[in-house]
Amino acid sequence: NKELKNFCITNNIPIKSEGKLIVAKNEKDLEGLFSLYDNAKNNDIEVYLGRERELKDFEPNAKTFEYFLYVSSTFVVNPLDVLNVLYEYLKNKGVYFLLGCKFKKNIEKGLALIENKMINYGFLINAGGLYADSIAHVFNVGLDYKILPFKGLYLIFNSDERFIRRSIYPVPDLNFPFLGVHFTVGDHIKIGPTAILAFSRENYNMFYRFKFSEFKDIFLLALRLFFSKIKYRELFLREISKYSKKRFYEDASALVKSIPNINKFKWYLSGIRAQLVNIKTMELENDFIIQRGDCSLHILNAVSPAFTASFPFTKYIIENYILTNKWLIKKDI
């Protein structure tokens, strides 16, 4: 959080808003709220545990059950702004970008086919997101894992009116690696995301990039999860109902005292989370998972807060996987 914020300030990347509230919907949520508080304190994160009567001082329109958390260090930034700065910086350092190209296959050690180009490599880092597992499997790595894509739908408030001034989150269900539908305050107020199964890995909208082969694999893996654990049955059924705008809107309404009419919200851009599944234990993985191959490294799971943590995570990768690689040290790269 600190490193990303410093990067934004140094590079004049606009910060859209700061601070977030985590509120409880009922008594059941309090255990999770207190757990988050203890975790924050143990990790030296500045957090305030407040009583319900104090909430109006932080956000008059928010509502909670008995207690809430306020995290002052949270901030909202446009990820594209960060990526554009990084892109220009790296390009000026001589990094070559080959964009919009598909990884086809690994011909042999040190030689891969990318779209219609043969690429020589000394050490390959696979951070392929939604296709990270498929690429890893080509290198005989991560065979116990498969990616299940979850679509995050959003609603955006179609007005400049500010009915809240800070982002508001529910207490997350710690059984799942999802944060739950929440309010994000940036240039506009957004509600989301959902955690609905996507029909294909890049199925951002309707039948966009729909592939039947991917749909079949996703359906079969989801079916295995559905029948293996009751918690996943509950998750799938609960989330699929949020294809209904009304249901989605009602879920967010529980976090505030009043909300503008549903007609003032419209569907917005969606995102797809590359969620890793351990096909041996039939569990969704909720931590970073990195596996090494021969002259390759595969980042199979980069869960939230992966974007916020991207700078120290990169340092971790370099220090623990790149600089310790004997081939790289010997070649003086």
Side-chain angles (χ1 to χ4, degrees):
N1 176 288
K2 288 177 183 176
E3 288 196 34
L4 182 59
K5 192 169 189 178
N6 288 338
F7 180 84
C8 291
I9 293 168
T10 302
N11 291 280
N12 298 313
I13 296 170
I15 289 170
K16 310 295 184 179
S17 69
E18 296 186 72
K20 88 170 168 190
L21 293 161
I22 303 174
V23 298
K25 294 178 182 177
N26 48 47
E27 188 173 4
K28 185 181 173 184
D29 278 348
L30 293 180
E31 183 182 350
L33 191 79
F34 297 145
S35 176
L36 289 175
Y37 176 73
D38 290 340
N39 195 39
K41 297 302 279 186
N42 290 337
N43 286 281
D44 296 322
I45 296 166
E46 189 175 328
V47 61
Y48 179 74
L49 177 64
R51 289 190 172 272
E52 185 178 0
R53 63 178 178 272
E54 302 172 82
L55 185 57
K56 65 182 184 300
D57 298 327
F58 292 85
E59 173 51 62
N61 195 22
K63 67 178 181 182
T64 194
F65 179 84
E66 293 189 357
Y67 292 92
F68 69 92
L69 294 180
Y70 175 64
V71 187
S72 59
S73 60
T74 294
F75 66 98
V76 175
V77 66
N78 186 341
L80 276 177
D81 290 344
V82 175
L83 288 174
N84 286 334
V85 170
L86 284 171
Y87 174 72
E88 291 300 326
Y89 174 81
L90 293 169
K91 202 166 67 169
N92 292 335
K93 290 287 185 181
V95 175
Y96 176 66
F97 290 87
L98 191 62
L99 303 175
C101 295
K102 182 180 179 180
F103 178 91
K104 292 289 183 69
K105 60 181 176 178
N106 193 49
I107 307 298
E108 59 185 47
K109 185 177 175 181
L111 186 64
L113 180 63
I114 312 292
E115 203 64 34
N116 59 350
K117 296 178 183 289
M118 301 293 282
I119 303 292
N120 289 299
Y121 67 87
F123 191 81
L124 183 141
I125 301 174
N126 164 25
L130 288 158
Y131 290 94
D133 61 333
S134 302
I135 296 169
H137 294 168
V138 170
F139 291 84
N140 210 34
V141 173
L143 300 181
D144 291 341
Y145 298 104
K146 280 189 177 180
I147 281 171
L148 198 59
F150 282 86
K151 184 181 289 189
L153 300 175
Y154 285 90
L155 290 174
I156 190 168
F157 184 48
N158 196 23
S159 170
D160 291 331
E161 175 196 345
R162 291 290 168 125
F163 62 92
I164 56 171
R165 63 183 187 222
R166 286 199 173 100
S167 298
I168 306 172
Y169 286 62
V171 176
D173 185 340
L174 300 180
N175 289 313
F176 306 111
F178 307 112
L179 294 176
V181 170
H182 55 268
F183 288 96
T184 301
V185 176
D187 287 334
H188 297 276
I189 296 172
K190 290 190 301 183
I191 300 173
T194 59
I196 303 168
L197 277 175
F199 297 132
S200 285
R201 296 193 187 213
E202 294 180 279
N203 178 224
Y204 291 99
N205 188 26
M206 294 296 286
F207 293 103
Y208 177 79
R209 292 194 177 175
F210 176 82
K211 297 176 184 175
F212 181 76
S213 59
E214 289 185 1
F215 170 75
K216 186 179 72 172
D217 288 345
I218 290 164
F219 177 76
L220 292 174
L221 181 54
L223 208 61
R224 287 180 64 191
L225 277 171
F226 189 87
F227 287 109
S228 66
K229 304 275 170 71
I230 190 169
K231 65 178 180 178
Y232 295 129
R233 287 201 288 279
E234 292 171 352
L235 172 70
F236 293 157
L237 294 172
R238 181 177 72 232
E239 290 297 314
I240 202 167
S241 70
K242 292 172 190 170
Y243 267 123
S244 160
K245 184 179 178 181
K246 184 173 182 290
R247 174 70 183 84
F248 194 177
Y249 172 85
E250 288 171 350
D251 207 43
S253 300
L255 307 178
V256 290
K257 293 173 183 173
S258 66
I259 186 171
N261 188 279
I262 191 171
N263 295 326
K264 289 195 174 183
F265 291 85
K266 64 178 182 179
W267 291 109
Y268 190 57
L269 300 172
S270 63
I272 298 184
R273 179 187 182 124
Q275 176 59 53
L276 204 66
V277 179
N278 186 318
I279 57 175
K280 282 194 169 180
T281 63
M282 293 312 294
E283 291 283 357
L284 301 183
E285 295 290 351
N286 62 358
D287 205 349
F288 291 79
I289 292 181
I290 307 146
Q291 292 198 351
R292 198 196 302 263
D294 186 16
C295 291
S296 65
L297 184 71
H298 304 269
I299 300 165
L300 297 173
N301 210 40
V303 296
S304 182
F307 172 65
T308 309
S310 54
F311 285 95
F313 178 61
T314 301
K315 287 179 183 175
Y316 173 83
I317 292 289
I318 291 168
E319 290 170 0
N320 292 276
Y321 292 93
I322 308 302
L323 297 180
T324 58
N325 188 289
K326 293 177 183 177
W327 186 91
L328 286 173
I329 293 169
K330 190 168 69 176
K331 292 285 185 181
D332 199 27
I333 294 177

